[in-house]
Amino acid sequence: MTATLASAAATRTADENSHNLDSPRARALLQAAREMGPVLIARQEECALDHRSPEATIADFHDAGFFRILQARKYGGYEMDPQVFYSLLLELARYCMSSAWVLGVIGVHNWQMNLFDDAAAEEVWGEDPTVLVSSSYAPVGRVVPQDVGFRLSGRWSFSSGCEHCDWVFLGAVVPTEDAPWDMANYRTFLLPRSDYQIVDNWDVVGLKGTGSHDIVVDDVFVPEHRTHNMLADDGGRKFTNKPPVYRLPFMQVFSRAVSTPTLGALEGALEKFTEVAATRLAGPIAMKDDPNAKRLAAEVDAAISAMKNTLFHDFDRLMECARVGTVASLRDRARYRYNTSKAADCCVGLSSAMLKAAGSSGIRNNSPLLTQHLDILASQAHIANVSEPFAVNLGGILFGQESTDLSL
């Protein structure tokens, strides 16, 4: 750590320290998540059959304050560091990855709202700060610029938890005369529920309870203040007047929200694997006495610990930089993005190994190990969890080449 960063860490105010994982509020939030475990397990079947998180679960998340963690204080939020939010996702995903996924995606939108014009947040939360926002960021919308805004049309997929939300973030590229389609002109558009239709089509192999339906928009007007140009944020550097938590690069924060539940689910899968080992035979001996099963359990446990350490190290570093008004190096930021996406790959491989080692009982539809594995597998469908482009980008930077990731 540099002298500047060390000094900043040593002189943090009590208010900043209240955001840390050892603060009373953080401990209370994590305890609430642990106590919610049996309830989430009991609701798993309902969650999967209904293809959505139960209303009772969303209400429980509200009551526990989970959606407030990254929300601005002006609207009753806690403005806590992302590490607290991710710790919560790790805990909840052990019990129900679909529920943790919905909280991760919707909850991180309460952070992004602070990157919009203040008028947008006032429209969403002015009368009710508990209102939720879903999203689909794929740049598939059709945009027609107008004097004070844009006309937007299109169909977007994978809007997790959308049935619980009254607004939506949608991605599209604003065309210019010189560049009809250039990702440098990508924006997020914020629309109220009256401006879009939800198409119920969520029928998938894993993450069944996320209710990630399609969103359809038919030529609606979106004012300028309800759009967010991520690249114009300059990785969060332009927000010098905002608390440090809102000075982070958008994709660093969002991508961890869809990677962390996968890691939490792997930890839950390891717990189930040890339960299987306690009663199953592996040939002539008990599985718990099988050296191969022991080695696999040790490998998974060590990998989980390493990935958690990486998660918290990366965001400790990003928050240190945000607090002193500096930016982590491009190489570091590229590595953080790669670390995030690579975690999903690692989790799928280890979950698959445990499922195989569990034997024939693991393929039954009522197998908890299989359920956990399919959820982990489904998480790889999210583009933020596809590690190859981030590996290529990081490798290119190590070779002295320019970054190809505009979101760093």
Side-chain angles (χ1 to χ4, degrees), residues 62-77:
H62 273 299
D63 292 343
F66 294 168
F67 289 113
R68 296 185 184 186
I69 294 174
L70 299 177
Q71 190 173 20
R73 282 204 185 110
K74 178 180 179 181
Y75 297 102

Side-chain angles (χ1 to χ4, degrees), residues 59-310:
D60 287 343
F61 288 171
H62 273 299
D63 292 343
F66 294 168
F67 289 113
R68 296 185 184 186
I69 294 174
L70 299 177
Q71 190 173 20
R73 282 204 185 110
K74 178 180 179 181
Y75 297 102
Y78 302 151
E79 286 184 7
M80 300 180 85
D81 290 358
Q83 296 94 308
V84 179
F85 186 63
Y86 301 140
S87 295
L88 215 67
L89 300 184
L90 287 170
E91 183 66 31
L92 295 171
R94 291 170 52 204
Y95 314 112
C96 177
M97 187 176 167
S98 285
S99 298
W101 182 278
V102 169
L103 173 64
V105 172
I106 294 178
V108 83
H109 297 154
N110 288 359
W111 177 85
Q112 188 188 2
M113 188 63 68
N114 294 279
L115 311 185
F116 278 76
D117 187 286
D118 290 344
E122 191 62 30
E123 281 189 71
V124 175
W125 289 328
E127 295 183 3
D128 181 1
T130 68
V131 165
L132 302 177
V133 183
S134 70
S135 69
S136 183
Y137 293 103
V140 297
R142 298 182 299 279
V143 181
V144 178
Q146 295 192 330
D147 289 341
V148 290
F150 309 89
R151 306 295 304 187
L152 181 68
S153 301
R155 180 166 180 154
W156 291 257
S157 296
F158 306 110
S159 186
S160 298
C162 58
E163 292 171 297
H164 303 293
C165 301
D166 294 318
W167 291 75
V168 69
F169 289 141
L170 299 173
V173 172
V174 177
T176 65
E177 188 174 334
D178 297 331
W181 202 93
D182 183 346
M183 280 299 289
N185 298 322
Y186 174 87
R187 295 198 188 200
T188 304
F189 292 76
L190 172 65
L191 282 69
R193 183 69 183 83
S194 57
D195 281 357
Y196 61 90
Q197 174 191 0
I198 296 174
V199 179
D200 185 339
N201 65 344
W202 190 241
D203 185 12
V204 288
V205 70
L207 293 177
K208 294 180 180 180
T210 62
S212 305
H213 303 299
D214 280 12
I215 301 293
V216 174
V217 175
D218 184 13
D219 190 32
V220 301
F221 176 73
V222 184
E224 173 76 28
H225 73 269
R226 281 205 263 115
T227 70
H228 169 224
N229 184 337
M230 179 179 66
L231 293 184
D233 294 348
D234 194 21
R237 284 173 286 240
K238 88 169 187 180
F239 298 120
T240 55
N241 62 330
K242 291 183 180 288
V245 67
Y246 304 126
R247 300 180 209 155
L248 300 173
F250 168 76
M251 282 307 301
Q252 299 283 2
V253 179
F254 177 82
S255 60
R256 272 294 180 183
V258 295
S259 168
T260 303
T262 311
L263 179 52
L266 180 67
E267 189 164 17
L270 176 59
E271 293 165 2
K272 294 174 176 63
F273 183 65
T274 61
E275 292 169 6
V276 170
T279 59
R280 182 178 180 271
L281 289 177
I285 62 173
M287 184 175 167
K288 64 182 180 180
D289 297 323
D290 179 16
N292 292 324
K294 291 179 180 181
R295 281 194 291 268
L296 178 57
E299 179 186 357
V300 175
D301 182 70
I304 290 170
S305 178
M307 285 187 280
K308 283 184 178 181
N309 288 339
T310 297

Side-chain angles (χ1 to χ4, degrees), residues 12-23:
R12 287 178 186 166
T13 64
D15 184 56
E16 286 172 330
N17 282 329
S18 72
H19 302 164
N20 295 339
L21 283 166
D22 342 344
S23 71

Side-chain angles (χ1 to χ4, degrees), residues 33-53:
R34 293 186 194 101
E35 293 174 357
M36 216 174 280
V39 176
L40 294 179
I41 292 171
R43 292 175 185 159
Q44 269 191 326
E45 184 176 358
E46 174 191 356
C47 188
L49 289 175
D50 290 349
H51 294 177
R52 55 178 283 166
S53 295

